[in-house]
Amino acid sequence: MIHNDSHDLLRQASNIAHELGHSILGHIARPVLDKHGCRHFDVEQEDEANWLGPALLISKEAAFHIAKTKMSVVEASRVYLVSEQVITMRLNMSGARKIFTK
């Protein structure tokens, strides 16, 4: 795992959750660069980790709580210590926003 500690702390949480997602999903680590110096990039594996990482940070239940209590994205970001982008993604992907804004 490559960890960039110069990123904002909330971004670091997302980065680490993304990398944990790779591990949980059983993705096989490869060298970062190929023999030509180009970055290895498996779109399918990255998409999977991009979905699982935020889900590890904000569960479906947490997303439902945020939406049900009408907590703002800014407030939820402060409470759960994740970026506003992660909160927004999980509210949308879990269906919480749609379910609780009827």
Side-chain angles (χ1 to χ4, degrees), residues 3-98:
H3 174 66
N4 187 341
D5 61 2
S6 71
H7 284 166
D8 173 88
L9 289 176
L10 302 183
R11 171 68 189 272
Q12 288 182 47
S14 293
N15 293 346
I16 292 168
H18 174 92
E19 296 306 329
L20 286 172
H22 282 299
S23 180
I24 291 166
L25 292 163
H27 295 164
I28 305 300
R30 298 189 315 185
V32 177
L33 303 176
D34 66 18
K35 65 182 179 179
H36 304 292
C38 295
R39 185 170 178 258
H40 284 287
F41 191 83
D42 183 317
V43 174
E44 184 176 336
Q45 287 188 4
E46 291 305 316
D47 286 348
E48 290 174 349
N50 285 337
W51 182 88
L52 183 55
L56 294 172
L57 295 170
I58 300 294
S59 67
K60 178 179 173 183
E61 293 78 15
F64 277 33
H65 172 76
I66 292 164
K68 186 176 183 179
T69 62
K70 303 201 183 316
M71 189 182 301
S72 73
V73 170
V74 172
E75 183 181 3
S77 172
R78 288 187 198 130
V79 169
Y80 289 95
L81 300 175
V82 299
S83 70
E84 293 174 24
Q85 292 85 358
V86 167
I87 298 293
T88 299
M89 177 190 176
R90 291 298 298 147
L91 288 172
N92 292 334
M93 296 299 289
S94 69
R97 179 170 276 149
K98 193 175 215 179

